């Protein structure tokens, strides 16, 4: 078999056989097929696509390129949620303890901030002492003890994706539904969950900008996940505005604590409850979505989800007392107010622009090696639909240096639009696709 023939076949729009994909994945991981040939193949896939069987075969071959988390010996059910990434998206931090308090087991492997989207690991690391580098033994032990553990990906999980994703990133081939499906799903299946809930974000602040693209990805994740033997739900959610009122690594820990204590913003709780409820249904903890939604309210009202969060922080080395001492005080020295330019109603705060501005502040990063900071970001005093007078403070923006605020400021200002009419308030849940 020759790589060039496989590239030619895909270039001409033909379907690749499993053996051909296996040859490519093995050859690439072993270093026998060079980057330039894989780049050409990725671009051919980008333009010609892959049918469902090819996508499923690619996912499985990528999964088998590395090790799979062994959760045997621990009583399930294991369920996880994956988000395609957003701005102010702290939902994993809230829903993991909610699902854990309801009796599900959550083996959660998360990512870091990249580009305009935030990362769960960076948020967790803003809690002093909290470690996200768990080896397999500790990951297992913590899940057994606390029903949940939060970690980064180990180096042995899906090595094919590490190489392929890095190459896609520099060859403009990230935005391909079959490639995204295989990348996300191979990693999620490797972490050992029986059931998966995908939050496929859609809109300017998301990876998928249009509903049609989000729907194509959601369908692909659900169908492919089903073939891999998983119970799968995809929820397409709106990511036009930042989620909640706080955007920033530590700031989002604060909003997580508020949510777990029953004081979460309505938009955050709408999506969190829905995703958690699907996790409980997909894992069999609850029989119906209505029952699961009631269960979500119960674990917030009785404080049990909050207790699971505190337990997880302590177990993973976090300083629980810092949750109090940093609350409201972990703020970088430089602060500037975003003011309403005119009187009216806030029509929109553009999540994408806020996410990009956050990179200048040190909320997110351009390159995986860039540092991020705990004490920077945005605290919104007004959000979409709120009435403002000219000059009212809409958000406080925190940075470590004035120069960072200067660099971010044109984006921050451009993110805000104010108009005369109150905008219609809409549900953030756009569509749900289930395979249970
Ligand atoms: N996230 C991933 O893990 N992989 C992709 O291909 C895109 C987003």
């Amino acid at each position: 078999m020759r790589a060039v023939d496989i590239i030619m076949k895909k270039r001409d729009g033909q379907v690749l056989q499993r053996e051909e994909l296996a040859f490519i994945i093995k050859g690439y991981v072993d270093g026998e097929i060079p980057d330039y040939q894989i780049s050409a193949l990725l671009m051919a896939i980008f333009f010609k696509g892959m049918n469902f069987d090819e996508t499923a075969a690619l996912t499985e071959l990528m999964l088998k390129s590395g090790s799979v988390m062994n959760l045997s010996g621990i009583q399930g059910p294991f369920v996880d949620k994956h988000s395609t990434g957003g701005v102010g998206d702290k939902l994993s931090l809230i829903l993991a303890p909610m699902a854990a308090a309801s009796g599900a087991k959550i083996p959660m492997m998360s990512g870091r901030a990249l580009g305009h989207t935030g990362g769960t690991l960076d948020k967790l690391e803003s809690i002093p002492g909290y470690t996200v580098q768990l080896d397999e033994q500790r990951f297992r032990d913590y899940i057994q003890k606390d029903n949940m553990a939060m970690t980064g990906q180990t180096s042995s999980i899906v090595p094919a994706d590490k190489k392929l994703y890095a190459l896609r990133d520099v060859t403009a081939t990230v935005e391909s539904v079959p490639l995204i499906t295989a990348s996300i799903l191979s990693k999620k299946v490797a972490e050992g969950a029986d059931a998966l809930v995908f939050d496929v974000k859609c809109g300017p602040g998301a990876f998928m900008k249009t509903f049609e693209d989000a729907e194509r990805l959601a369908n692909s994740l659900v169908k492919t996940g089903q073939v891999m033997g998983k119970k799968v739900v995809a929820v397409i959610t709106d990511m036009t505005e930042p989620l909640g009122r706080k955007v920033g690594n530590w700031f989002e820990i604060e909003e997580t604590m508020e949510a777990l204590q029953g004081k979460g913003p309505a938009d955050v709780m709408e999506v969190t409850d829905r995703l958690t409820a699907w996790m409980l249904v997909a894992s069999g903890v609850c029989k119906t979505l209505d029952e699961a939604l009631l269960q979500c309210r119960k674990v917030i009202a009785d404080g049990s989800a909050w207790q699971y969060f505190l337990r997880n922080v302590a177990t993973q080395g976090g300083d629980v007392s810092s949750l109090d001492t940093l609350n409201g005080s972990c703020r970088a020295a430089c602060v500037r107010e975003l003011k309403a330019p005119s009187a009216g109603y806030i029509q929109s705060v553009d999540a994408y622009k806020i996410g990009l501005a956050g990179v200048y502040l040190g909320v997110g990063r351009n390159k995986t090696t860039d540092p991020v900071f705990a004490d920077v970001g945005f605290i919104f005093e007004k959000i979409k639909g709120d009435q403002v007078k000219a000059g009212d403070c809409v958000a406080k923006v925190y940075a470590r240096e004035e120069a960072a605020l200067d660099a971010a400021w044109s984006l921050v200002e451009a993110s805000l639009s104010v108009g005369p009419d109150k905008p219609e308030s809409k549900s953030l849940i756009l569509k749900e696709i289930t395979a249970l």
Side-chain angles (χ1 to χ4, degrees), residues 234-261:
V235 182
I236 304 177
T237 66
D238 191 302
M239 187 22 82
T240 306
E241 314 285 316
L243 272 168
R245 287 176 176 262
K246 296 187 178 177
V247 177
N249 291 314
W250 167 262
F251 298 178
E252 292 186 46
I253 296 289
E254 288 184 5
E255 202 161 60
T256 296
M257 296 194 287
E258 289 155 22
L260 288 168
Q261 293 174 337

PDB file of all heavy atoms in Angstrom, residues 234-261:
ATOM      1  N   ALA A 234     -26.580  14.699  22.011  1.00  0.00           N
ATOM      2  CA  ALA A 234     -25.953  15.980  21.648  1.00  0.00           C
ATOM      3  C   ALA A 234     -26.988  17.078  21.841  1.00  0.00           C
ATOM      4  O   ALA A 234     -28.132  16.943  21.405  1.00  0.00           O
ATOM      5  CB  ALA A 234     -25.464  15.961  20.208  1.00  0.00           C
ATOM      6  N   VAL A 235     -26.569  18.121  22.525  1.00  0.00           N
ATOM      7  CA  VAL A 235     -27.445  19.275  22.732  1.00  0.00           C
ATOM      8  C   VAL A 235     -26.779  20.455  22.011  1.00  0.00           C
ATOM      9  O   VAL A 235     -25.617  20.775  22.293  1.00  0.00           O
ATOM     10  CB  VAL A 235     -27.601  19.586  24.242  1.00  0.00           C
ATOM     11  CG1 VAL A 235     -28.561  20.756  24.452  1.00  0.00           C
ATOM     12  CG2 VAL A 235     -28.088  18.359  25.003  1.00  0.00           C
ATOM     13  N   ILE A 236     -27.488  21.031  21.066  1.00  0.00           N
ATOM     14  CA  ILE A 236     -26.929  22.194  20.359  1.00  0.00           C
ATOM     15  C   ILE A 236     -27.348  23.436  21.138  1.00  0.00           C
ATOM     16  O   ILE A 236     -28.544  23.658  21.379  1.00  0.00           O
ATOM     17  CB  ILE A 236     -27.432  22.261  18.904  1.00  0.00           C
ATOM     18  CG1 ILE A 236     -27.096  20.954  18.177  1.00  0.00           C
ATOM     19  CG2 ILE A 236     -26.814  23.456  18.180  1.00  0.00           C
ATOM     20  CD1 ILE A 236     -27.612  20.876  16.753  1.00  0.00           C
ATOM     21  N   THR A 237     -26.367  24.203  21.586  1.00  0.00           N
ATOM     22  CA  THR A 237     -26.686  25.369  22.428  1.00  0.00           C
ATOM     23  C   THR A 237     -26.106  26.650  21.832  1.00  0.00           C
ATOM     24  O   THR A 237     -25.073  26.614  21.164  1.00  0.00           O
ATOM     25  CB  THR A 237     -26.162  25.187  23.877  1.00  0.00           C
ATOM     26  OG1 THR A 237     -24.732  25.156  23.866  1.00  0.00           O
ATOM     27  CG2 THR A 237     -26.691  23.924  24.519  1.00  0.00           C
ATOM     28  N   ASP A 238     -26.799  27.725  22.103  1.00  0.00           N
ATOM     29  CA  ASP A 238     -26.435  29.021  21.526  1.00  0.00           C
ATOM     30  C   ASP A 238     -25.220  29.629  22.236  1.00  0.00           C
ATOM     31  O   ASP A 238     -25.196  29.711  23.461  1.00  0.00           O
ATOM     32  CB  ASP A 238     -27.644  29.960  21.673  1.00  0.00           C
ATOM     33  CG  ASP A 238     -27.462  31.236  20.883  1.00  0.00           C
ATOM     34  OD1 ASP A 238     -26.468  31.932  21.132  1.00  0.00           O
ATOM     35  OD2 ASP A 238     -28.290  31.531  20.014  1.00  0.00           O
ATOM     36  N   MET A 239     -24.238  30.027  21.447  1.00  0.00           N
ATOM     37  CA  MET A 239     -23.046  30.662  22.027  1.00  0.00           C
ATOM     38  C   MET A 239     -22.814  32.008  21.329  1.00  0.00           C
ATOM     39  O   MET A 239     -21.765  32.257  20.749  1.00  0.00           O
ATOM     40  CB  MET A 239     -21.876  29.690  21.862  1.00  0.00           C
ATOM     41  CG  MET A 239     -20.536  29.977  22.492  1.00  0.00           C
ATOM     42  SD  MET A 239     -20.407  31.062  23.862  1.00  0.00           S
ATOM     43  CE  MET A 239     -20.832  30.047  25.232  1.00  0.00           C
ATOM     44  N   THR A 240     -23.861  32.846  21.413  1.00  0.00           N
ATOM     45  CA  THR A 240     -23.732  34.182  20.832  1.00  0.00           C
ATOM     46  C   THR A 240     -23.208  35.148  21.895  1.00  0.00           C
ATOM     47  O   THR A 240     -22.335  35.972  21.632  1.00  0.00           O
ATOM     48  CB  THR A 240     -25.108  34.672  20.315  1.00  0.00           C
ATOM     49  OG1 THR A 240     -25.614  33.680  19.422  1.00  0.00           O
ATOM     50  CG2 THR A 240     -24.988  35.992  19.577  1.00  0.00           C
ATOM     51  N   GLU A 241     -23.759  35.009  23.099  1.00  0.00           N
ATOM     52  CA  GLU A 241     -23.340  35.850  24.233  1.00  0.00           C
ATOM     53  C   GLU A 241     -22.432  35.012  25.134  1.00  0.00           C
ATOM     54  O   GLU A 241     -22.597  33.789  25.194  1.00  0.00           O
ATOM     55  CB  GLU A 241     -24.553  36.234  25.100  1.00  0.00           C
ATOM     56  CG  GLU A 241     -25.767  36.711  24.358  1.00  0.00           C
ATOM     57  CD  GLU A 241     -25.622  38.119  23.833  1.00  0.00           C
ATOM     58  OE1 GLU A 241     -25.132  38.974  24.589  1.00  0.00           O
ATOM     59  OE2 GLU A 241     -25.984  38.347  22.668  1.00  0.00           O
ATOM     60  N   PRO A 242     -21.535  35.647  25.892  1.00  0.00           N
ATOM     61  CA  PRO A 242     -20.781  34.877  26.894  1.00  0.00           C
ATOM     62  C   PRO A 242     -21.766  34.245  27.884  1.00  0.00           C
ATOM     63  O   PRO A 242     -22.814  34.828  28.172  1.00  0.00           O
ATOM     64  CB  PRO A 242     -19.933  35.932  27.603  1.00  0.00           C
ATOM     65  CG  PRO A 242     -19.932  37.133  26.726  1.00  0.00           C
ATOM     66  CD  PRO A 242     -21.198  37.082  25.918  1.00  0.00           C
ATOM     67  N   LEU A 243     -21.426  33.080  28.405  1.00  0.00           N
ATOM     68  CA  LEU A 243     -22.308  32.427  29.384  1.00  0.00           C
ATOM     69  C   LEU A 243     -22.078  33.025  30.763  1.00  0.00           C
ATOM     70  O   LEU A 243     -20.940  33.103  31.227  1.00  0.00           O
ATOM     71  CB  LEU A 243     -22.000  30.933  29.434  1.00  0.00           C
ATOM     72  CG  LEU A 243     -22.746  30.057  28.440  1.00  0.00           C
ATOM     73  CD1 LEU A 243     -22.124  28.666  28.396  1.00  0.00           C
ATOM     74  CD2 LEU A 243     -24.226  29.950  28.800  1.00  0.00           C
ATOM     75  N   GLY A 244     -23.160  33.444  31.403  1.00  0.00           N
ATOM     76  CA  GLY A 244     -23.052  33.953  32.765  1.00  0.00           C
ATOM     77  C   GLY A 244     -22.540  35.380  32.797  1.00  0.00           C
ATOM     78  O   GLY A 244     -22.500  36.082  31.790  1.00  0.00           O
ATOM     79  N   ARG A 245     -22.140  35.786  33.985  1.00  0.00           N
ATOM     80  CA  ARG A 245     -21.692  37.172  34.180  1.00  0.00           C
ATOM     81  C   ARG A 245     -20.199  37.262  34.416  1.00  0.00           C
ATOM     82  O   ARG A 245     -19.660  38.359  34.559  1.00  0.00           O
ATOM     83  CB  ARG A 245     -22.430  37.779  35.381  1.00  0.00           C
ATOM     84  CG  ARG A 245     -23.886  38.062  35.039  1.00  0.00           C
ATOM     85  CD  ARG A 245     -24.663  38.566  36.227  1.00  0.00           C
ATOM     86  NE  ARG A 245     -26.011  38.914  35.812  1.00  0.00           N
ATOM     87  CZ  ARG A 245     -26.399  40.156  35.524  1.00  0.00           C
ATOM     88  NH1 ARG A 245     -25.573  41.165  35.638  1.00  0.00           N
ATOM     89  NH2 ARG A 245     -27.641  40.380  35.139  1.00  0.00           N
ATOM     90  N   LYS A 246     -19.535  36.122  34.508  1.00  0.00           N
ATOM     91  CA  LYS A 246     -18.100  36.171  34.798  1.00  0.00           C
ATOM     92  C   LYS A 246     -17.344  35.355  33.758  1.00  0.00           C
ATOM     93  O   LYS A 246     -17.708  34.209  33.466  1.00  0.00           O
ATOM     94  CB  LYS A 246     -17.818  35.637  36.207  1.00  0.00           C
ATOM     95  CG  LYS A 246     -18.455  36.527  37.283  1.00  0.00           C
ATOM     96  CD  LYS A 246     -18.067  36.143  38.701  1.00  0.00           C
ATOM     97  CE  LYS A 246     -18.702  37.111  39.698  1.00  0.00           C
ATOM     98  NZ  LYS A 246     -18.429  36.775  41.096  1.00  0.00           N
ATOM     99  N   VAL A 247     -16.304  35.972  33.202  1.00  0.00           N
ATOM    100  CA  VAL A 247     -15.444  35.293  32.226  1.00  0.00           C
ATOM    101  C   VAL A 247     -14.003  35.478  32.695  1.00  0.00           C
ATOM    102  O   VAL A 247     -13.535  36.614  32.845  1.00  0.00           O
ATOM    103  CB  VAL A 247     -15.608  35.904  30.809  1.00  0.00           C
ATOM    104  CG1 VAL A 247     -14.648  35.231  29.825  1.00  0.00           C
ATOM    105  CG2 VAL A 247     -17.050  35.791  30.321  1.00  0.00           C
ATOM    106  N   GLY A 248     -13.327  34.387  32.949  1.00  0.00           N
ATOM    107  CA  GLY A 248     -11.952  34.460  33.458  1.00  0.00           C
ATOM    108  C   GLY A 248     -11.723  33.228  34.308  1.00  0.00           C
ATOM    109  O   GLY A 248     -12.691  32.625  34.796  1.00  0.00           O
ATOM    110  N   ASN A 249     -10.480  32.850  34.494  1.00  0.00           N
ATOM    111  CA  ASN A 249     -10.232  31.539  35.105  1.00  0.00           C
ATOM    112  C   ASN A 249     -10.741  31.451  36.538  1.00  0.00           C
ATOM    113  O   ASN A 249     -11.599  30.632  36.844  1.00  0.00           O
ATOM    114  CB  ASN A 249      -8.751  31.185  34.957  1.00  0.00           C
ATOM    115  CG  ASN A 249      -8.416  30.921  33.495  1.00  0.00           C
ATOM    116  OD1 ASN A 249      -9.151  30.199  32.820  1.00  0.00           O
ATOM    117  ND2 ASN A 249      -7.363  31.532  32.989  1.00  0.00           N
ATOM    118  N   TRP A 250     -10.239  32.318  37.423  1.00  0.00           N
ATOM    119  CA  TRP A 250     -10.766  32.295  38.791  1.00  0.00           C
ATOM    120  C   TRP A 250     -12.203  32.823  38.835  1.00  0.00           C
ATOM    121  O   TRP A 250     -13.055  32.315  39.572  1.00  0.00           O
ATOM    122  CB  TRP A 250      -9.879  33.085  39.762  1.00  0.00           C
ATOM    123  CG  TRP A 250     -10.603  33.303  41.057  1.00  0.00           C
ATOM    124  CD1 TRP A 250     -11.277  34.410  41.450  1.00  0.00           C
ATOM    125  CD2 TRP A 250     -10.816  32.324  42.086  1.00  0.00           C
ATOM    126  NE1 TRP A 250     -11.895  34.199  42.668  1.00  0.00           N
ATOM    127  CE2 TRP A 250     -11.618  32.931  43.075  1.00  0.00           C
ATOM    128  CE3 TRP A 250     -10.403  30.993  42.259  1.00  0.00           C
ATOM    129  CZ2 TRP A 250     -12.006  32.256  44.228  1.00  0.00           C
ATOM    130  CZ3 TRP A 250     -10.790  30.317  43.418  1.00  0.00           C
ATOM    131  CH2 TRP A 250     -11.580  30.945  44.377  1.00  0.00           C
ATOM    132  N   PHE A 251     -12.475  33.834  38.022  1.00  0.00           N
ATOM    133  CA  PHE A 251     -13.812  34.448  38.049  1.00  0.00           C
ATOM    134  C   PHE A 251     -14.886  33.373  37.798  1.00  0.00           C
ATOM    135  O   PHE A 251     -15.982  33.412  38.354  1.00  0.00           O
ATOM    136  CB  PHE A 251     -13.946  35.541  36.989  1.00  0.00           C
ATOM    137  CG  PHE A 251     -13.002  36.726  37.159  1.00  0.00           C
ATOM    138  CD1 PHE A 251     -13.004  37.759  36.226  1.00  0.00           C
ATOM    139  CD2 PHE A 251     -12.128  36.806  38.234  1.00  0.00           C
ATOM    140  CE1 PHE A 251     -12.151  38.854  36.373  1.00  0.00           C
ATOM    141  CE2 PHE A 251     -11.266  37.881  38.384  1.00  0.00           C
ATOM    142  CZ  PHE A 251     -11.278  38.911  37.445  1.00  0.00           C
ATOM    143  N   GLU A 252     -14.550  32.426  36.950  1.00  0.00           N
ATOM    144  CA  GLU A 252     -15.539  31.380  36.634  1.00  0.00           C
ATOM    145  C   GLU A 252     -15.648  30.332  37.749  1.00  0.00           C
ATOM    146  O   GLU A 252     -16.667  29.667  37.879  1.00  0.00           O
ATOM    147  CB  GLU A 252     -15.221  30.755  35.279  1.00  0.00           C
ATOM    148  CG  GLU A 252     -15.451  31.792  34.180  1.00  0.00           C
ATOM    149  CD  GLU A 252     -15.305  31.254  32.775  1.00  0.00           C
ATOM    150  OE1 GLU A 252     -15.855  30.187  32.493  1.00  0.00           O
ATOM    151  OE2 GLU A 252     -14.632  31.922  31.956  1.00  0.00           O
ATOM    152  N   ILE A 253     -14.579  30.218  38.557  1.00  0.00           N
ATOM    153  CA  ILE A 253     -14.707  29.375  39.761  1.00  0.00           C
ATOM    154  C   ILE A 253     -15.709  30.051  40.706  1.00  0.00           C
ATOM    155  O   ILE A 253     -16.568  29.393  41.305  1.00  0.00           O
ATOM    156  CB  ILE A 253     -13.330  29.171  40.458  1.00  0.00           C
ATOM    157  CG1 ILE A 253     -12.369  28.393  39.553  1.00  0.00           C
ATOM    158  CG2 ILE A 253     -13.497  28.488  41.821  1.00  0.00           C
ATOM    159  CD1 ILE A 253     -12.687  26.935  39.354  1.00  0.00           C
ATOM    160  N   GLU A 254     -15.619  31.373  40.808  1.00  0.00           N
ATOM    161  CA  GLU A 254     -16.592  32.092  41.662  1.00  0.00           C
ATOM    162  C   GLU A 254     -18.022  31.836  41.180  1.00  0.00           C
ATOM    163  O   GLU A 254     -18.924  31.563  41.982  1.00  0.00           O
ATOM    164  CB  GLU A 254     -16.320  33.607  41.635  1.00  0.00           C
ATOM    165  CG  GLU A 254     -15.069  34.020  42.391  1.00  0.00           C
ATOM    166  CD  GLU A 254     -14.878  35.536  42.424  1.00  0.00           C
ATOM    167  OE1 GLU A 254     -15.750  36.287  41.950  1.00  0.00           O
ATOM    168  OE2 GLU A 254     -13.824  35.967  42.926  1.00  0.00           O
ATOM    169  N   GLU A 255     -18.221  31.929  39.869  1.00  0.00           N
ATOM    170  CA  GLU A 255     -19.586  31.746  39.356  1.00  0.00           C
ATOM    171  C   GLU A 255     -20.047  30.285  39.511  1.00  0.00           C
ATOM    172  O   GLU A 255     -21.231  30.019  39.724  1.00  0.00           O
ATOM    173  CB  GLU A 255     -19.687  32.192  37.896  1.00  0.00           C
ATOM    174  CG  GLU A 255     -21.100  32.526  37.507  1.00  0.00           C
ATOM    175  CD  GLU A 255     -21.183  33.387  36.248  1.00  0.00           C
ATOM    176  OE1 GLU A 255     -20.707  32.944  35.191  1.00  0.00           O
ATOM    177  OE2 GLU A 255     -21.727  34.503  36.331  1.00  0.00           O
ATOM    178  N   THR A 256     -19.086  29.374  39.443  1.00  0.00           N
ATOM    179  CA  THR A 256     -19.396  27.961  39.695  1.00  0.00           C
ATOM    180  C   THR A 256     -19.908  27.789  41.124  1.00  0.00           C
ATOM    181  O   THR A 256     -20.907  27.099  41.373  1.00  0.00           O
ATOM    182  CB  THR A 256     -18.114  27.107  39.494  1.00  0.00           C
ATOM    183  OG1 THR A 256     -17.737  27.206  38.132  1.00  0.00           O
ATOM    184  CG2 THR A 256     -18.325  25.664  39.885  1.00  0.00           C
ATOM    185  N   MET A 257     -19.214  28.440  42.067  1.00  0.00           N
ATOM    186  CA  MET A 257     -19.619  28.311  43.477  1.00  0.00           C
ATOM    187  C   MET A 257     -21.005  28.917  43.680  1.00  0.00           C
ATOM    188  O   MET A 257     -21.839  28.350  44.393  1.00  0.00           O
ATOM    189  CB  MET A 257     -18.583  28.971  44.388  1.00  0.00           C
ATOM    190  CG  MET A 257     -17.227  28.273  44.315  1.00  0.00           C
ATOM    191  SD  MET A 257     -16.103  28.748  45.640  1.00  0.00           S
ATOM    192  CE  MET A 257     -15.623  30.393  45.198  1.00  0.00           C
ATOM    193  N   GLU A 258     -21.243  30.059  43.020  1.00  0.00           N
ATOM    194  CA  GLU A 258     -22.570  30.675  43.133  1.00  0.00           C
ATOM    195  C   GLU A 258     -23.636  29.710  42.604  1.00  0.00           C
ATOM    196  O   GLU A 258     -24.688  29.516  43.220  1.00  0.00           O
ATOM    197  CB  GLU A 258     -22.614  31.994  42.327  1.00  0.00           C
ATOM    198  CG  GLU A 258     -21.799  33.115  42.959  1.00  0.00           C
ATOM    199  CD  GLU A 258     -21.331  34.175  41.946  1.00  0.00           C
ATOM    200  OE1 GLU A 258     -21.948  34.303  40.871  1.00  0.00           O
ATOM    201  OE2 GLU A 258     -20.338  34.860  42.230  1.00  0.00           O
ATOM    202  N   ALA A 259     -23.334  29.107  41.460  1.00  0.00           N
ATOM    203  CA  ALA A 259     -24.312  28.189  40.847  1.00  0.00           C
ATOM    204  C   ALA A 259     -24.588  26.994  41.757  1.00  0.00           C
ATOM    205  O   ALA A 259     -25.744  26.585  41.945  1.00  0.00           O
ATOM    206  CB  ALA A 259     -23.794  27.712  39.489  1.00  0.00           C
ATOM    207  N   LEU A 260     -23.526  26.452  42.343  1.00  0.00           N
ATOM    208  CA  LEU A 260     -23.698  25.265  43.189  1.00  0.00           C
ATOM    209  C   LEU A 260     -24.391  25.617  44.511  1.00  0.00           C
ATOM    210  O   LEU A 260     -24.889  24.735  45.210  1.00  0.00           O
ATOM    211  CB  LEU A 260     -22.343  24.599  43.440  1.00  0.00           C
ATOM    212  CG  LEU A 260     -21.763  23.887  42.210  1.00  0.00           C
ATOM    213  CD1 LEU A 260     -20.299  23.496  42.433  1.00  0.00           C
ATOM    214  CD2 LEU A 260     -22.584  22.635  41.866  1.00  0.00           C
ATOM    215  N   GLN A 261     -24.411  26.912  44.846  1.00  0.00           N
ATOM    216  CA  GLN A 261     -25.109  27.340  46.062  1.00  0.00           C
ATOM    217  C   GLN A 261     -26.482  27.921  45.730  1.00  0.00           C
ATOM    218  O   GLN A 261     -27.068  28.643  46.538  1.00  0.00           O
ATOM    219  CB  GLN A 261     -24.243  28.350  46.815  1.00  0.00           C
ATOM    220  CG  GLN A 261     -22.983  27.677  47.350  1.00  0.00           C
ATOM    221  CD  GLN A 261     -22.006  28.653  47.986  1.00  0.00           C
ATOM    222  OE1 GLN A 261     -22.015  29.839  47.696  1.00  0.00           O
ATOM    223  NE2 GLN A 261     -21.166  28.140  48.845  1.00  0.00           N
TER     224      GLN A 261
END
